[in-house]
Amino acid sequence: MRLAVALGGTDWGRSGIGTYVRAMLPRLTRGLARTGGRLVALGTARDFAAYDPELVGAERAVAPAVVDTPALGASWYLARCGAHARGAGADVLLLPAANRRVALRPGLPTVGVVHDLAQFNVPDKYDRLRTTYVRWLLPKALRSFEALAAVSQATRGDMVSFLSCAPERIHVIPNGVDADRFALGDGAGAAWARERLGLKAPYLLYLSRLEHPGKNHLRLLRAFAASPVREDHQLVLAGADWGAEQLIREELQRLGLQERVRILGYLEDGLIPGLVAGAEALIAVGLCEGFGLPALEAIAAGKPVLAARAGALPEVVGDLGVLCDPLDEQDMAAALTRVVRDEPLAARVRREGPGHARQRSWDRTGDDLLALCRSVGGVR
């Protein structure tokens, strides 16, 4: 089987979806090779540069550079992606970011992976043009695919509720975690990250792009200001700016938190495991996370998680963290205090977290995704 994997909409590896694609590409390539198959990556020169280490052994079918722009890229995928895949000799098309890029009438069996539908749960997430695309074109395309994969039960439920996708065609294939990178007791990695980033005080880590309102930073800042943990902990915000950094800095100044909150911006991937290992706890309070990969990575490293009682976070975190109402700042403030002060919880996460995470390996995700692609292509 020749499997075409489209790289559009995956943020050139700089997001949770990018992490997913980095994990899937080599595993799909190896899995196909075991039975004489081949992976064909569809993308621009920029896509190929971003994923070059993961594309060893794969063929490449180059798309025009205009595909890198959001509006024109979405249009190209709608109209041309299927033909591009067929021209590369593909038997099956895989769209690993199908909540962002889809193909209309692709002309070959197609599998779409949906990570979240936050745009239906978070008001004002997108402008009018993107909202039209998401509400009208995206559902039409997804309903035409031979199979769909959702990364969580929560996302599957949203696909049924908001897109009217047939439940029997949606396969839940959860994300995985690299348990070797996010390991319990990585003191050396934590010390290295602290030194590189100039972190001295104990800190709580929110690993998320700076996006308003979806990632909920402003409520988190107000909750942190109201919690006693601000006296002996820093709050560290790590992630690329998606238009909210100025709002966040203004709120920091209003609350007088400039000395207690660090904004690190986008960090190279090699720093993340050490940053997680050095944290007292990880925070994940987005209004609608389709999975919440940083939460699983923290649990793998034995760190408790403060998570929103929304989206997929409750199913990812289970009882290895503290849940809060992401719209209630008082509830969030109380949860911040508990996740730091609850020693029995911290001990249980150190004891049970690594085993919990090992049940969700990227190898298992890759095997299940490849099996789904084979099934729609009529290959066993």
Side-chain angles (χ1 to χ4, degrees):
M1 181 178 74
R2 289 175 63 82
L3 175 65
V5 180
L7 301 179
T10 66
D11 303 318
W12 304 288
R14 294 165 61 97
S15 66
I17 292 180
T19 298
Y20 175 89
V21 171
R22 286 194 189 284
M24 289 300 96
L25 286 172
R27 288 169 172 83
L28 293 173
T29 299
R30 291 194 297 267
L32 287 162
R34 283 194 287 268
T35 56
R38 199 71 183 265
L39 186 143
V40 183
L42 310 182
T44 64
R46 184 178 178 185
D47 290 324
F48 294 149
Y51 294 109
D52 187 64
E54 290 79 27
L55 289 172
V56 173
E59 295 180 19
R60 307 183 187 200
V62 182
V66 70
V67 177
D68 287 330
T69 61
L72 293 176
S75 299
W76 184 90
Y77 266 82
L78 285 168
R80 297 295 304 157
C81 181
H84 200 58
R86 296 195 308 273
D91 301 301
V92 175
L93 171 62
L94 172 64
L95 294 162
N99 49 305
R100 296 180 176 179
R101 297 288 185 272
V102 290
L104 283 175
R105 295 185 289 276
L108 74 169
T110 300
V111 175
V113 181
V114 177
H115 297 265
D116 70 71
L117 291 175
Q119 55 268 43
F120 289 91
N121 290 287
V122 180
D124 303 321
K125 180 175 174 66
Y126 287 148
D127 57 30
R128 183 175 296 179
L129 179 61
R130 290 191 184 187
T131 299
T132 299
Y133 171 80
V134 163
R135 292 188 178 275
W136 298 104
L137 293 173
L138 186 71
K140 181 178 180 180
L142 289 175
R143 289 195 296 265
S144 74
F145 294 170
E146 280 69 20
L148 298 167
V151 299
S152 64
Q153 291 289 349
T155 294
R156 181 181 184 272
D158 282 349
M159 292 167 70
V160 174
S161 298
F162 295 123
L163 306 181
S164 299
C165 294
E168 65 273 11
R169 292 177 50 246
I170 307 172
H171 304 258
V172 176
I173 303 177
N175 288 343
V177 65
D178 187 338
D180 292 328
R181 291 187 71 225
F182 293 91
L184 181 67
D186 184 10
W192 179 69
R194 279 179 178 274
E195 182 178 355
R196 283 281 304 273
L197 299 170
L199 299 172
K200 296 181 174 61
Y203 62 89
L204 306 174
L205 175 64
Y206 189 18
L207 196 58
S208 169
R209 63 178 179 252
L210 306 185
E211 176 192 316
H212 179 76
K215 298 303 182 180
N216 213 19
H217 287 87
L218 300 190
R219 287 192 186 91
L220 172 61
L221 293 178
R222 293 191 284 267
F224 183 67
S227 170
V229 301
R230 65 173 289 185
E231 301 299 330
D232 51 5
H233 286 74
Q234 281 189 316
L235 175 61
V236 173
L237 309 178
D241 181 21
W242 280 45
E245 182 172 348
Q246 185 59 37
L247 277 174
I248 291 169
R249 291 193 180 279
E250 289 171 0
E251 189 69 2
L252 285 179
Q253 186 170 8
R254 188 185 73 80
L255 295 168
L257 290 176
Q258 298 96 317
E259 300 301 316
R260 306 308 303 165
V261 178
R262 289 283 308 277
I263 299 176
L264 300 181
Y266 176 78
L267 298 177
E268 60 189 76
D269 190 57
L271 280 169
I272 302 302
L275 188 63
V276 171
E280 294 288 305
L282 185 117
I283 295 170
V285 290
L287 298 179
C288 182
E289 298 293 348
F291 187 83
L293 188 55
L296 184 59
E297 292 168 342
I299 289 170
K303 300 295 178 178
V305 177
L306 166 57
R309 194 181 294 108
L313 286 167
E315 68 185 90
V316 172
V317 173
D319 62 354
L320 298 178
V322 179
L323 300 180
C324 71
D325 181 345
L327 301 178
D328 186 331
E329 293 163 18
Q330 290 185 333
D331 189 42
M332 196 183 298
L336 278 168
T337 303
R338 184 186 164 198
V339 81
V340 170
R341 310 292 191 218
D342 190 337
E343 279 299 324
L345 172 64
R348 182 154 50 82
V349 179
R350 287 193 296 270
R351 185 173 62 250
E352 300 177 12
H356 173 85
R358 285 192 201 97
Q359 297 174 14
R360 303 191 181 205
S361 71
W362 283 123
D363 287 342
R364 180 176 177 180
T365 304
D367 288 345
D368 290 349
L369 183 59
L370 181 55
L372 181 60
C373 293
R374 289 185 186 280
S375 72
V376 304
V379 179
R380 292 188 178 275

